[in-house]
Amino acid sequence: MNRSEPANPSMSAIRTRSAAYRMGNGDRDKRDDGEAPGTGVITRVKPQTKRPNLYRVLLLNDDYTPMEFVVHVLERFFNKSREDATRIMLHVHQHGVGECGIFTYEVAETKVTQVMDFARKHQHPLQCVMEKK
């Protein structure tokens, strides 16, 4: 094997083209393989995205908040229909806790804060919490 020739033939072609470009060869646009200079295959790597964690927003039962107020909260802050809000309110009343919805962290946190502020403003002890699903 001749020491001046590399073992890998493709490396030889790369070095030859590279030398021709450096020397200012007028035949730059003509390559051995018939491709235009600077062409190649580009593969796009699809980034792996992770789904955000979800949080359940829960209402807790108490003996003082009127049922109609809880229904109003569910309609106003969770966009529930009158029937769904009544069903959730009864579940909270009978089981002590009820799920209002499932949201990303920021949305769940905002809803909990809105409900708690609204309840305090109307002097009700209604508790709203969030937990990781």
Side-chain angles (χ1 to χ4, degrees):
M1 178 174 211
N2 186 352
R3 291 209 179 256
S4 63
E5 291 183 26
N8 186 347
S10 63
M11 290 302 292
S12 173
I14 292 171
R15 286 189 183 124
T16 303
R17 284 188 211 117
S18 176
Y21 288 130
R22 282 190 305 250
M23 292 181 352
N25 187 349
D27 294 331
R28 283 186 197 182
D29 295 336
K30 298 177 186 172
R31 289 181 36 184
D32 307 2
D33 53 10
E35 292 182 15
T39 60
V41 178
I42 298 174
T43 57
R44 287 192 178 161
V45 179
K46 188 174 183 180
Q48 296 295 326
T49 55
K50 182 183 164 198
R51 290 202 174 274
N53 293 325
L54 296 177
Y55 292 81
R56 298 170 62 201
V57 176
L58 307 170
L59 281 180
L60 306 179
N61 189 36
D62 64 75
D63 295 334
Y64 303 101
T65 305
M67 292 179 176
E68 191 57 38
F69 183 78
V70 175
V71 170
H72 178 69
V73 164
L74 290 164
E75 290 174 333
R76 179 173 177 170
F77 296 105
F78 298 98
N79 299 321
K80 300 294 182 185
S81 66
R82 183 64 134 184
E83 295 76 28
D84 287 342
T86 303
R87 183 181 47 77
I88 294 168
M89 177 273 299
L90 288 173
H91 188 274
V92 171
H93 181 69
Q94 294 167 354
H95 297 97
V97 65
E99 183 179 284
C100 304
I102 300 171
F103 308 96
T104 60
Y105 181 83
E106 292 82 9
V107 174
E109 186 177 44
T110 301
K111 296 224 181 252
V112 168
T113 302
Q114 288 174 333
V115 169
M116 295 293 286
D117 290 347
F118 189 71
R120 296 300 158 267
K121 180 180 173 187
H122 290 87
Q123 300 177 350
H124 294 297
L126 182 64
Q127 293 293 305
C128 187
V129 296
M130 59 189 257
E131 71 175 23
K132 193 170 187 179
K133 184 168 184 195

